[in-house]
Amino acid sequence: MSTSATSTAPSVAPMPSVSPRDLAPGVIGMALVGSSVTVSRSLVGAPLFASQAVRYAAAALILIALARVAGVPLLRPRGREWLWLAGIAGTGLVLFNVAVVRGVAHAEPAVIAVAVASVPILLGLVGPLLEGGRPSRRVLLAAPVVVAGAVLVEGTGRTDAAGVGWAALALACEAGFTLLAVPVLGRHGAWGVSVHAVWLGAVMLAGLAVFTQRPVSGTVPGLASGPAAFVAGLGSLTAGQWAAVGYLAVLVTAVAFLLWYRTVAAVGSGRAGLLTGVAPLAAAGAGMLGGGSAPGPAVWLGLAVVIAGLALGLRGGDARA
C-alpha cells in the first residue's frame, strides 16, 4: 500500500491591523513628550531634583484623584512587581529627566529628540520577547524608516561629547520606560502602572534633592544639605519655571503616561514604539511656536518619511520574524 504525505511548515498568524482608536492615545502622548524637550530648557538653571520631585508628586495626586473619580481600582504591588515599577521610576522618570535637562545644556533640543526617537529599534527587538512573542519583520523594517524621518525633521544639531552622552542615556531610559512596564501592565493596567511609577519617582527625586542638592552659592556641590536645601531650591524657582513644572506635571506626566501605557497594552510595545517618531515632530512644532523658524524642505521630507514608516509598521498581515 502506497501512501503520500504532504508536509507543511507551521503557519504563523499574521499580525492584526490596529485600530486608530488604540493608536490615538499613544500619538497624543508622544506629542506631549516631544513638546517637553523645549519646555525643559527653562529648567536648565533650576534645582533639578527639587523641581522634578514636585512635578511627579503633583502628577501622582492628579492621577489618584482622577482614578477615584473614574472608579478605577488601584492595586497594591506585590513581590517582584515592586522591582519592575521601581525600575520604571528610576530609569524612565528620574534618569530620563536628568538626561533631558542636563542634555539640553550641552546640546540643541534636536539632539535629545532624535535620540528619543531612535527607541523604536530597541522596542521592536526586545518588546515582543518580553511579551512572549517574536519580533515582527514589518516593525523591524519600519523602525529605521521612522528614525531616519526623525533625523530629517530635527537634524543633527550642535552638541559636544557630554551632550552625546546625555542623549544616549535618554535613549536607554526611554526604552526602559516602556519595556519595564510590560511585565506589570497585565495586572495593574495603564492607571496602576502610571500611579505607582509616578509616586515612586517623586520619592526618589525628593530623596536626591534632600541629600545631594546644595542651592546655596559658595558651597561644595554634591554634599548632603538636608531638607533646607530642598525648600530653598523650590523657593528659587521663577514664575516661568513654575509654569514649566506645572505643564510637565499635568500634560507630560499625568496625561501622557496614561495615554502611552494604554496604547502599549492595546497594540504591544513593538508597534507602540514606532509612535515615538511623533516626538521629534512635536518638538519641531513646539520650537516653531516658541519663536523658531518655519520648517524647511528637510523637515517636510522627514515628516513624510515618518508617516511612511508608521504606515509600513502599523498595518496588519505581517508574519512574525
Side-chain angles (χ1 to χ4, degrees), residues 75 77-88 130 176-194 196-197 261 265:
L75 304 178
R78 60 191 182 191
R80 294 183 178 179
E81 291 176 350
W82 285 108
L83 298 177
W84 293 112
L85 292 168
I88 298 171
L130 292 177
F177 177 76
T178 299
L179 295 176
L180 294 175
V182 170
V184 290
L185 269 174
R187 180 169 179 263
H188 291 275
W191 281 94
V193 172
S194 298
H196 292 306
Y261 283 135

Side-chain angles (χ1 to χ4, degrees), residues 26-44:
V27 171
I28 298 172
M30 276 297 111
L32 293 172
V33 170
S35 68
S36 71
V37 175
T38 299
V39 174
S40 294
R41 289 187 69 91
S42 64
L43 296 177
V44 169

Side-chain angles (χ1 to χ4, degrees), residues 145-208:
V145 177
V146 172
V147 173
V151 173
L152 286 171
V153 169
E154 292 292 349
T156 55
R158 294 188 300 272
T159 184
D160 54 21
V164 173
W166 287 119
L169 179 60
L171 168 61
C173 291
E174 179 68 11
F177 177 76
T178 299
L179 295 176
L180 294 175
V182 170
V184 290
L185 269 174
R187 180 169 179 263
H188 291 275
W191 281 94
V193 172
S194 298
V195 168
H196 292 306
V198 167
W199 76 257
L200 284 169
V203 171
M204 293 177 185
L205 287 160
L208 289 171

